[in-house]
Amino acid sequence: MVTWNNLDTLASWKELEAIEKVNLAEVMSGENGAERVKKYSVPMAEGLAYNYAAKSVDDTVLAGLAKLAGEAQLSEKFAALYNGEMINTGEKRLVLHQLTRGQLGDAVIADGVDKRAFYAEQQQKIAEFANKVHAGEITNEAGEKFTAVVQIGIGGSDLGPRAMYLALENWAKKNDTFKMEAHFISNVDPDDAAAVLNGIDVAHALFVLVSKSGTTLETLTNESFVKDALKNAGLDASRHMVAVTSETSPLAKSDDYLAAFFMDDYIGGRYSSTSAVGGAVLSLAFGPEVFAQFLEGAAKADETAKNPDALQNPAMLDALIGVYERNILGYQCTAVLPYSQALSRFPAHLQQLDMESNGKSVNRYGEPVSYVTGPVIFGEPGTNGQHSFYQLLHQGTDIVPLQFIGFRNNQCGRDVLIQDSTSQQKLCANVAAQIVAFACGKEDENLNKKFEGGRPSSIIIGDQLTPGSLGALLSHFENKVMFQGFLWNLNSFDQEGVQLGKVLAKRVLAHETDGALKVYSDLLNI
């Protein structure tokens, strides 16, 4: 039987607090460090590996973390989730994003429907639609092929799909699967929509409107902006738009759209990249086969997350180490540092995934917790970040755990030899150097040049960023966040924290304000 308890009530947690802390700079120096790099690595799906040698752990800490995973019933809670128990206690909903890419356990029947079959059906509908667009069977009014796709959405309807598109754009061009350019409109700021519309040929653009409820203010505002642009160009907007929404939304059966693809309330926006939310735009951009490879990679990583051995389960182990760093070592932030330009927006996606899921101060029962929960997530791709905020990471007063991501090969297949090494070798040399520099530091009598070291990091390493490895990477972080939420006894699948501002904004627009809200409204000329 699964029981849900606060982290600080678990006996194994109290034992873990008493374990001697690891001197990272010491254990990572010399031959000890070399042995750790070989030892502290666990395979992931799609040829990836999670290496945590430069984390502040040793065999004793790891044994304590494994014991904690058992007492917290992490595997059992994951099984409860994928077998269809009501895990989202805030909204009294199932949590089914893993089901969009494969069946992990029992058939899940909700609302009288086999949900795996439903998600597979939507994927097939999207594939058939995308293939017809690519073949010129679905065209604009002039019978001409669409050459660009524009997604209109915000939050999880933008961040994840945008990050995945950028991650695969160069790969698709190199592998001759690039079909259509994709663009994204998210911000209600009219400059966002205008910039996209000014940069495309609207007559040959297909717009994907994404709103589960069909009532999202920012998204509907941007839809009106786009429809106005289409009208001004003498175009029929209904011949240029498709909807991704729920079956019960006002968009579902509207004549304003060429087609509608469905999602449901069991998939949160930040977990929706493998649903129709990501499926439509990615299938149109790269072809349904590429999206299917992406789903397959995510499904394989989900399978590894079922492993009850915490030390052989990369997502669970990453989550456990993260909680150890947050709650015992007292680190407040985590930096995600992909040494891959293709992953330039991946940290932004993980910001929402992590901070919207575990940025909570009450447990699953609405009771305040007496310990810290989710960290602040930020990041930029390397090597750009090295010339930006790494100064603070190396020599600042706060220690920030780091999550590097690196690949042995680039996506474009092109490189150049400069000063006896290629660009890719230089990139990889930098990430290797940073890991050791952060961990080991450097002594210097001049304190301005001294590096304390002891700054922990992990790295996920792969051969190349492909659709499959991207899917596995996405799943890894989704499951890491899930396991951390289980440990903190949080409901990681609602987001009440985004609602208050929306309510107040509606009051401002209705001119129903007083006090400070009225003064700020007047200052902004609303």
Side-chain angles (χ1 to χ4, degrees):
M1 178 180 175
V2 170
T3 57
W4 301 88
N5 298 296
N6 284 1
L7 178 67
D8 56 1
T9 67
L10 303 178
S12 55
W13 178 252
K14 292 178 171 57
E15 293 173 13
L16 196 60
E17 287 181 304
I19 294 175
E20 183 179 356
K21 308 301 183 290
V22 173
N23 184 324
L24 182 60
E26 183 178 294
V27 300
M28 277 295 289
S29 297
E31 285 306 309
N32 288 335
E35 291 303 313
R36 278 178 66 91
V37 176
K38 297 172 187 175
K39 177 181 179 181
Y40 286 150
S41 180
V42 59
M44 300 168 61
E46 293 289 335
L48 299 173
Y50 171 64
N51 189 294
Y52 56 99
K55 287 291 191 180
S56 299
V57 298
D58 58 14
D59 289 350
T60 305
V61 173
L62 291 168
L65 291 173
K67 189 173 181 181
L68 174 64
E71 187 181 0
Q73 298 179 292
L74 297 187
S75 286
E76 292 87 344
K77 287 170 181 172
F78 185 30
L81 183 151
Y82 63 67
N83 284 319
E85 291 192 22
M86 194 271 291
I87 298 296
N88 181 348
T89 52
E91 297 169 321
K92 295 182 171 53
R93 293 173 179 166
L94 312 184
V95 177
L96 301 182
H97 54 276
Q98 284 99 348
L99 205 56
T100 62
R101 57 245 193 179
Q103 190 80 52
L104 285 171
D106 301 334
V108 178
I109 309 299
D111 307 323
V113 174
D114 180 320
K115 298 308 295 185
R116 172 59 192 152
F118 170 77
Y119 299 138
E121 177 190 18
Q122 295 308 308
Q123 183 186 345
Q124 183 59 35
K125 283 176 58 179
I126 290 169
E128 291 171 358
F129 180 85
N131 284 333
K132 288 181 179 178
V133 169
H134 299 151
E137 296 174 33
I138 296 175
T139 65
N140 68 4
E141 294 165 83
E144 298 164 336
K145 293 177 72 170
F146 292 109
T147 58
V149 54
V150 181
Q151 180 124 318
I152 308 171
I154 197 165
S157 301
D158 167 73
L159 287 165
R162 187 194 296 252
M164 303 309 129
Y165 171 78
L166 292 173
L168 295 179
E169 184 179 13
N170 278 339
W171 181 91
K173 289 175 179 177
K174 171 64 178 175
N175 289 275
D176 297 323
T177 67
F178 188 82
K179 308 293 185 182
M180 304 167 70
E181 284 190 357
H183 305 268
F184 298 83
I185 298 173
S186 60
N187 199 333
V188 75
D189 182 343
D191 286 342
D192 187 20
V196 171
L197 294 171
N198 289 338
I200 63 172
D201 175 6
V202 292
H204 296 89
L206 184 62
F207 295 86
V208 181
L209 182 79
V210 184
S211 174
K212 186 189 300 182
S213 65
T215 61
T216 309
L217 177 64
E218 296 96 334
T219 301
L220 295 184
T221 300
N222 279 326
E223 180 192 28
S224 296
F225 199 103
V226 167
K227 283 184 172 179
D228 189 60
L230 289 166
K231 180 182 176 181
N232 291 339
L235 301 168
D236 178 358
S238 67
R239 296 290 301 271
H240 287 261
M241 304 196 83
V242 300
V244 176
T245 189
S246 68
E247 290 181 290
T248 57
S249 95
L251 310 180
K253 294 180 174 61
S254 171
D255 292 335
D256 289 343
Y257 307 99
L258 285 167
F261 309 112
F262 300 128
M263 52 178 163
D264 58 38
D265 287 336
Y266 307 121
I267 299 173
R270 57 195 176 276
Y271 296 97
S272 65
S273 291
T274 53
S275 74
V277 173
V281 66
L282 296 177
S283 295
L284 286 163
F286 306 131
E289 297 82 5
V290 171
F291 184 65
Q293 294 169 31
F294 171 65
L295 295 183
E296 185 179 0
K300 289 178 180 177
D302 287 340
E303 285 291 339
T304 70
K306 293 170 64 176
N307 191 335
D309 182 348
L311 302 187
Q312 295 301 314
N313 181 327
M316 188 183 293
L317 180 57
D318 197 358
L320 287 159
I321 293 173
V323 169
Y324 179 75
E325 290 175 331
R326 182 79 177 102
N327 294 85
I328 290 181
L329 300 182
Y331 303 146
Q332 299 177 357
C333 304
T334 296
V336 180
L337 308 170
Y339 275 61
S340 165
Q341 186 61 29
L343 293 175
S344 61
R345 291 296 289 170
F346 197 65
H349 169 61
L350 294 188
Q351 277 186 332
Q352 186 198 20
L353 173 66
D354 201 314
M355 295 169 71
E356 199 167 82
S357 295
N358 291 336
K360 311 287 177 65
S361 56
V362 298
N363 67 14
R364 294 169 54 79
Y365 306 108
E367 304 161 343
V369 296
S370 57
Y371 44 81
V372 296
T373 58
V376 173
I377 305 294
F378 69 96
E380 279 288 323
T383 57
N384 297 34
Q386 292 177 202
H387 297 268
S388 173
F389 51 80
Y390 277 34
Q391 169 63 45
L392 183 147
L393 300 183
H394 275 294
Q395 293 183 307
T397 53
D398 288 304
I399 292 179
V400 178
L402 316 167
Q403 290 200 308
F404 291 102
I405 303 168
F407 299 93
R408 300 178 188 94
N409 301 296
N410 63 37
Q411 291 180 315
C412 67
R414 299 201 310 270
D415 212 334
V416 61
L417 190 69
I418 301 175
Q419 296 177 352
D420 299 323
S421 61
T422 66
S423 299
Q424 185 68 24
Q425 287 172 330
K426 289 179 174 64
L427 180 71
C428 291
N430 270 277
V431 69
Q434 291 295 331
I435 293 171
V436 174
F438 278 118
C440 299
K442 180 179 76 75
E443 288 295 328
D444 199 297
E445 291 183 3
N446 181 344
L447 296 185
N448 192 51
K449 297 183 178 182
K450 180 179 179 180
F451 291 72
E452 291 288 348
R455 310 212 167 203
S457 69
S458 62
I459 182 168
I460 294 174
I461 302 175
D463 285 326
Q464 187 186 53
L465 184 61
T466 65
S469 61
L470 179 65
L473 195 63
L474 176 71
S475 167
H476 173 87
F477 283 102
E478 288 181 345
N479 292 324
K480 173 192 174 179
V481 168
M482 173 193 71
F483 285 130
Q484 289 188 326
F486 290 164
L487 286 162
W488 285 316
N489 198 24
L490 306 176
N491 175 18
S492 300
F493 304 105
D494 67 4
Q495 55 282 332
E496 293 298 331
V498 305
Q499 300 304 322
L500 178 58
K502 291 182 178 181
V503 172
L504 294 180
K506 288 181 179 179
R507 281 179 51 191
V508 172
L509 292 171
H511 301 288
E512 297 171 354
T513 57
D514 55 20
L517 191 59
K518 183 180 189 314
V519 177
Y520 279 120
S521 301
D522 292 342
L523 285 171
L524 290 163
N525 197 29
I526 300 169

